[in-house]
Amino acid sequence: MSALNITHDPARRSWIESANAGDTDFPIQNLPFGAFVRDGETRTGVAIGDRVVDLRALHDLALLDGDAATACASACDSTLNALMALDARHVSALRAALSDLLKHDAPARSRLTSSIDAVLPLAADVELTLPCAIGDYTDFLTSLHHTERHGRYKGLADPLPVAFKSLPIAYHGRASSLRVSGGDVRRPYGQFRDADGNVRFGPAPMLDFELELAAVIGRGNALTRPIAIDDARNHVFGYCLLNDWSAKSIQWFEQVLGPFLGKSFHSSVSPWLVTEEALAPFRKAAPSRAAGDPAILPHLRGSHDQQNGGLHLDLYAHLSTAAMRSDRMSAMQITHTHPDNLYWTFAQMIAHHTSNGCNLRTGDLLGSGTISGASDASRACLTELSEAGKKPLALPNGESRIALEDGDEIVLSARASSPGAVSIGFGECRGRIAAALPYPHAGEH
Amino acid sequence: MSALNITHDPARRSWIESANAGDTDFPIQNLPFGAFVRDGETRTGVAIGDRVVDLRALHDLALLDGDAATACASACDSTLNALMALDARHVSALRAALSDLLKHDAPARSRLTSSIDAVLPLAADVELTLPCAIGDYTDFLTSLHHTERHGRYKGLADPLPVAFKSLPIAYHGRASSLRVSGGDVRRPYGQFRDADGNVRFGPAPMLDFELELAAVIGRGNALTRPIAIDDARNHVFGYCLLNDWSAKSIQWFEQVLGPFLGKSFHSSVSPWLVTEEALAPFRKAAPSRAAGDPAILPHLRGSHDQQNGGLHLDLYAHLSTAAMRSDRMSAMQITHTHPDNLYWTFAQMIAHHTSNGCNLRTGDLLGSGTISGASDASRACLTELSEAGKKPLALPNGESRIALEDGDEIVLSARASSPGAVSIGFGECRGRIAAALPYPHAGEH
């Protein structure tokens, strides 16, 4: 696991002024990895302030050597997968080299400023895209409060599933419909019961967002070879935000073997992978368990994970409606939560996921599940914010919501803060609900 | 949809004598596509009798032109994905050209025989591998009898889920652990309840097989653009067998949001993709529904699909144990079933899967679910064959089974037959249970 190193030095500032602003998500201490389209070509990059290091252009300058050069060469591709599959020391070396090139007194600064738009384009001038090819997407259910509330809404006598405290519950999600932050989220069609209890097919009436944190796998494991709990975080390349858009009306009707079409129409991820190393200053102990909770089974109990599996991270969801934007109103913060609301750590999710020998591959995405806490402010989806529709969420302009309407936009964000460290952010995960299209083949039969 | 054409001509025979044997799965009328490893390189090929056409070697002979040449060029790769993404006419042209090259009086025969081991190696001399890169794997639950029996085993008052007759129920499976037929299936570890009801972690005691048919997607669809029911089969490249190995003890404990570690340790597929075109002579009407069943909603009701969505196909499972093999006993046929036991057609599965706008990609795998019928012979997993353990399956050597033991081998096979057509087969889907490895990190904590 990465110890603190020069890339975390809070005194370090960048010659890129936007990276020194107190509210930037991307100070020189962050250096998250992503991918972007430029002149029709997909390239990989690193965020710094309001700019993006184009790793292919940097590679062509031949400023790097050793492990950093190896890492940069492997990033000369349309995805980060080759870089992510490398041993962590390569990525660490590349981040250290980037930090040295971007610090305010960098000797090589003039080599970069002389071709700044080629090597460090403005983020606003490129189109961010998915950072890596995602083979499998797994979504967990690890918030006790989210799970209990939904159990209550369903009227279950015991709202928490029996297995919840024995293992991190999960299901396989749909990889093909993962999309990077931004753009439209098209309202899906589906089968659901109408108010009279009849089965209908049409645009889904009850759309929701779900605020999640996700880990992206770096080095994978071979089939039949589980990953040990205290080795698990060495298999994480980085983290991003995930909005697991849900069509509740479809889900309620279809769900026998887990979520399917109620989720697979679109899932949004934030474009930047914040590395394990960048998060090192924000680590803390894993959340403690309640007295009387069952003992953690040995393969899910790691001493390093217990001491270090938590994160000082604030997570937010903001909502704006078409009417609010038309009135130039700011988006309303509707959720403020943090990873302490997860009953299981990402290391435990990985150890469990591979405990049967299942292989994780570079680029696989593991969602935490909706990160709802006990407080009202920390409810991380509209279903909970509206108490399953019983208490519509009031908006500042007099509108209210029990579900997302066409034109509603959700923006997820996150910020890691800890005394003595420079705060870093995740960038945003944004999506706006677009009206259902006419069903393409209606009336043809 | 492909009409009958020259490749189906029952009078056509091949100069490769093994392709003319009555019991071969791969007569000249079949020509299924796959991939294989040869001298460390993965290539694509077509099965004919006991040989495999090496499509790269064939391409190098420059015997093809037009669409067939285009198709063959796109098959010069380590997977079939590029070929599968082409319009169906290209694949059709390649099959027709192959049929002409391999027929008994082919003018080009000497060009092939003079380099037979380069262009047409024996299947026994190459290692078959997964035919394509599989992005997403979806598993359906479409056998009414399988579903009802499992509902009864669980003691449900209404053993059939409410949605079963409204839509083809499905869940996302794990793509990373799909493996081609053959070799070991390692017994997984997992959490389950022991006889005293305590939660344990250890090698899973209750392993099962599940006999399924799977469709593999050729051309995909764009996100937000559903596929119409009567266009659905144009998006299928071909079919293979699927053994959805299941660790029932893990599944019973973990399952809240569908199957997860109880399935993701290994799933086996047969190596050859039998094309839609090759199956054309074996098409028949979709299975009829019982009086009183709900009407099929318009987006799942296609006139072509109703007339043509069924298949004359016999599906088999054979079991041999270590003791049986050591006594040189033949494997025992334990299941004989057919696709009429599916309540939904593959076209309906595809139309449903994409009805919410979810995009299918080339190479995606759609499993039918366990194809059990009403008869005892057609029970397509050990759980049903043993009536959930109440009636152990008796084997010819005095052994019995309620679950698979280490050393047990399952072989799935399938054969399409229809009057006036030459029967074709699917090749086999084989796997043998291997004892659990010592848990790699036990005692380290």
Side-chain angles (χ1 to χ4, degrees):
Chain A
M1 210 59 58
S2 2
L4 297 193
N5 64 29
I6 188 66
T7 64
H8 302 114
D9 180 3
R12 192 166 271 211
R13 294 171 65 82
S14 176
W15 53 264
I16 296 175
E17 272 309 318
S18 59
N20 304 321
D23 62 349
T24 181
D25 278 350
F26 308 123
I28 194 169
Q29 288 78 11
N30 193 348
L31 303 177
F33 289 83
F36 61 94
V37 181
R38 191 183 188 183
D39 302 329
E41 190 187 11
T42 306
R43 294 165 169 239
T44 66
V46 171
I48 175 81
D50 60 358
R51 293 191 175 263
V52 176
V53 183
D54 180 326
L55 290 173
R56 180 185 289 274
L58 179 69
H59 176 261
D60 292 346
L61 290 182
L63 294 171
L64 308 177
D65 55 18
D67 286 346
T70 303
C72 195
S74 74
C76 295
D77 200 351
S78 60
T79 69
L80 288 167
N81 293 64
L83 173 71
M84 294 162 64
L86 294 177
D87 192 278
R89 74 183 158 84
H90 291 97
V91 181
S92 186
L94 178 55
R95 286 185 74 255
L98 284 166
S99 181
D100 286 346
L101 288 172
L102 296 167
K103 67 176 179 171
H104 73 284
D105 55 352
R109 172 177 171 171
S110 64
R111 289 289 303 280
L112 296 172
T113 49
S114 64
S115 52
I116 184 120
D117 289 330
V119 185
L120 279 150
L122 286 166
D125 289 344
V126 301
E127 179 195 344
L128 295 171
T129 184
L130 277 183
C132 57
I134 299 168
D136 278 289
Y137 156 38
T138 301
D139 201 18
F140 285 83
L141 176 79
T142 64
S143 152
L144 189 143
H145 294 285
H146 174 74
T147 309
E148 273 192 338
R149 283 199 193 97
H150 276 74
R152 278 199 286 107
Y153 300 153
K154 287 180 197 154
L156 301 182
D158 189 349
L160 205 64
V162 172
F164 185 90
K165 293 184 175 179
S166 288
L167 52 82
I169 291 167
Y171 66 98
H172 306 295
R174 179 78 193 176
S176 73
S177 51
L178 286 161
R179 290 293 181 273
V180 78
S181 165
D184 286 346
V185 175
R186 184 67 60 186
R187 183 179 294 274
Y189 280 69
Q191 291 189 33
F192 53 89
R193 285 194 186 282
D194 65 18
D196 298 326
N198 298 315
V199 178
R200 278 193 51 201
F201 179 73
M206 296 294 289
L207 288 194
D208 205 350
F209 77 98
E210 294 188 336
L211 185 167
E212 303 194 17
L213 187 62
V216 180
I217 297 299
R219 283 182 304 116
N221 64 302
L223 190 70
T224 76
R225 303 292 168 171
I227 294 173
I229 177 74
D230 272 343
D231 186 36
R233 288 237 307 279
N234 296 325
H235 289 265
V236 175
F237 179 81
Y239 299 84
C240 61
L241 296 166
L242 170 66
N243 188 339
D244 183 33
W245 305 100
S246 300
K248 294 292 177 185
S249 40
I250 297 176
Q251 210 179 321
W252 293 326
F253 182 65
E254 75 175 354
Q255 193 158 307
V256 175
L257 296 175
F260 186 56
L261 299 192
K263 305 265 194 184
S264 65
F265 58 99
H266 197 128
S267 311
S268 299
V269 296
S270 56
W272 297 108
L273 302 182
V274 178
T275 61
E276 270 287 344
E277 186 173 78
L279 288 170
F282 311 102
R283 284 289 174 186
K284 61 175 183 174
S288 55
R289 305 199 153 195
D293 278 1
I296 305 171
L297 285 171
H299 70 294
L300 299 179
R301 188 175 64 230
S303 53
H304 181 266
D305 185 47
Q306 289 302 304
Q307 291 155 24
N308 191 255
L311 259 183
H312 288 286
L313 186 70
D314 289 283
L315 296 143
Y316 305 94
H318 285 78
L319 166 67
S320 71
T321 69
M324 287 166 68
R325 290 191 304 275
S326 140
D327 290 344
R328 297 175 183 274
M329 295 177 65
S330 306
M332 175 190 179
Q333 179 184 305
I334 56 173
T335 304
H336 175 192
T337 186
H338 49 79
D340 277 355
N341 289 323
L342 303 178
Y343 192 82
W344 299 97
T345 66
F346 277 103
Q348 290 173 320
M349 297 180 216
I350 289 168
H352 174 65
H353 202 320
T354 63
S355 64
N356 70 342
C358 180
N359 56 320
L360 302 179
R361 294 180 293 190
T362 300
D364 283 353
L365 186 79
L366 278 62
S368 63
T370 311
I371 311 181
S372 297
S375 72
D376 283 352
S378 64
R379 294 172 183 234
C381 62
L382 267 179
T383 304
E384 288 172 72
L385 285 163
S386 70
E387 195 65 15
K390 287 198 211 96
K391 297 180 184 172
L393 177 71
L395 304 183
N397 65 345
E399 291 184 287
S400 67
R401 289 289 183 273
I402 61 168
L404 295 172
E405 300 193 1
D406 295 345
D408 286 359
E409 182 170 86
I410 294 285
V411 179
L412 309 182
S413 58
R415 190 105 184 144
S417 314
S418 191
V422 174
S423 292
I424 64 174
F426 276 57
E428 64 180 26
C429 184
R430 180 186 293 266
R432 188 181 292 185
I433 305 299
L437 296 170
Y439 199 74
H441 312 285
E444 284 184 13
H445 313 297
Chain B
M1 209 61 56
S2 2
L4 296 193
N5 64 28
I6 187 67
T7 64
H8 301 115
D9 179 3
R12 193 166 270 210
R13 295 169 65 81
S14 176
W15 53 264
I16 296 176
E17 271 309 318
S18 58
N20 303 322
D23 62 350
T24 183
D25 278 351
F26 308 123
I28 194 168
Q29 288 79 11
N30 192 347
L31 303 175
F33 289 83
F36 61 93
V37 181
R38 191 183 189 184
D39 302 331
E41 192 187 9
T42 307
R43 293 165 168 240
T44 66
V46 171
I48 175 78
D50 60 359
R51 293 191 176 263
V52 177
V53 182
D54 180 326
L55 289 172
R56 180 184 289 275
L58 179 69
H59 175 261
D60 292 346
L61 289 182
L63 295 170
L64 308 177
D65 56 19
D67 287 345
T70 302
C72 195
S74 76
C76 295
D77 201 350
S78 60
T79 68
L80 288 167
N81 293 65
L83 172 72
M84 293 162 65
L86 295 177
D87 191 277
R89 73 183 158 86
H90 292 97
V91 180
S92 187
L94 178 56
R95 288 185 73 255
L98 284 166
S99 182
D100 286 346
L101 288 171
L102 296 167
K103 67 176 179 171
H104 74 285
D105 55 353
R109 170 176 173 173
S110 63
R111 289 289 304 280
L112 297 171
T113 50
S114 63
S115 52
I116 184 119
D117 290 330
V119 185
L120 278 150
L122 286 166
D125 289 344
V126 301
E127 179 195 344
L128 296 171
T129 184
L130 278 182
C132 58
I134 299 167
D136 278 290
Y137 155 38
T138 301
D139 200 19
F140 284 83
L141 176 78
T142 63
S143 152
L144 189 144
H145 294 285
H146 173 74
T147 309
E148 273 192 339
R149 282 199 194 97
H150 277 74
R152 279 200 284 105
Y153 300 154
K154 287 179 197 155
L156 302 181
D158 190 349
L160 205 65
V162 172
F164 185 90
K165 293 182 175 181
S166 289
L167 52 81
I169 291 168
Y171 67 97
H172 305 295
R174 178 80 192 174
S176 73
S177 51
L178 286 162
R179 291 293 180 273
V180 77
S181 165
D184 286 346
V185 176
R186 185 67 59 185
R187 182 180 296 273
Y189 280 69
Q191 291 189 33
F192 53 89
R193 285 195 186 281
D194 64 18
D196 299 325
N198 298 315
V199 178
R200 277 192 53 198
F201 179 73
M206 296 294 290
L207 288 194
D208 205 351
F209 77 98
E210 294 189 336
L211 186 167
E212 304 193 16
L213 186 62
V216 180
I217 298 299
R219 282 183 305 115
N221 63 303
L223 190 70
T224 76
R225 303 291 168 171
I227 295 173
I229 177 74
D230 272 343
D231 186 37
R233 288 237 308 279
N234 295 326
H235 289 265
V236 176
F237 179 81
Y239 299 84
C240 61
L241 296 166
L242 169 66
N243 188 339
D244 183 34
W245 304 100
S246 300
K248 293 292 176 185
S249 40
I250 297 175
Q251 211 180 320
W252 294 325
F253 182 64
E254 75 174 354
Q255 193 158 307
V256 174
L257 297 175
F260 186 57
L261 299 193
K263 304 266 194 185
S264 65
F265 57 99
H266 197 129
S267 311
S268 299
V269 296
S270 56
W272 296 107
L273 302 182
V274 177
T275 62
E276 271 286 345
E277 186 174 78
L279 287 169
F282 310 102
R283 284 289 174 187
K284 61 175 183 173
S288 56
R289 304 198 155 197
D293 278 1
I296 304 171
L297 286 170
H299 70 294
L300 300 179
R301 189 176 63 231
S303 54
H304 182 265
D305 185 47
Q306 290 301 305
Q307 292 155 23
N308 190 255
L311 259 183
H312 288 286
L313 185 70
D314 289 283
L315 297 143
Y316 304 95
H318 285 77
L319 165 66
S320 71
T321 68
M324 287 167 69
R325 291 191 303 275
S326 140
D327 290 344
R328 297 173 183 276
M329 295 175 67
S330 306
M332 175 188 178
Q333 180 184 303
I334 57 175
T335 304
H336 176 193
T337 185
H338 50 80
D340 276 356
N341 289 322
L342 303 178
Y343 192 83
W344 299 97
T345 66
F346 277 103
Q348 290 172 320
M349 297 180 217
I350 289 169
H352 174 65
H353 202 322
T354 63
S355 64
N356 70 342
C358 180
N359 56 321
L360 302 179
R361 295 180 293 191
T362 301
D364 283 353
L365 186 79
L366 278 61
S368 63
T370 311
I371 311 179
S372 296
S375 72
D376 284 351
S378 64
R379 295 171 182 234
C381 61
L382 267 179
T383 304
E384 288 172 72
L385 284 163
S386 69
E387 194 64 16
K390 288 199 210 93
K391 295 180 184 173
L393 178 71
L395 304 183
N397 63 346
E399 291 185 288
S400 68
R401 288 290 183 273
I402 61 169
L404 295 172
E405 300 192 1
D406 295 345
D408 286 358
E409 183 169 85
I410 295 284
V411 179
L412 309 182
S413 58
R415 191 108 183 141
S417 315
S418 191
V422 174
S423 292
I424 65 174
F426 275 57
E428 65 180 24
C429 184
R430 179 186 294 266
R432 187 182 293 186
I433 305 300
L437 296 169
Y439 199 73
H441 311 287
E444 281 183 14
H445 314 298

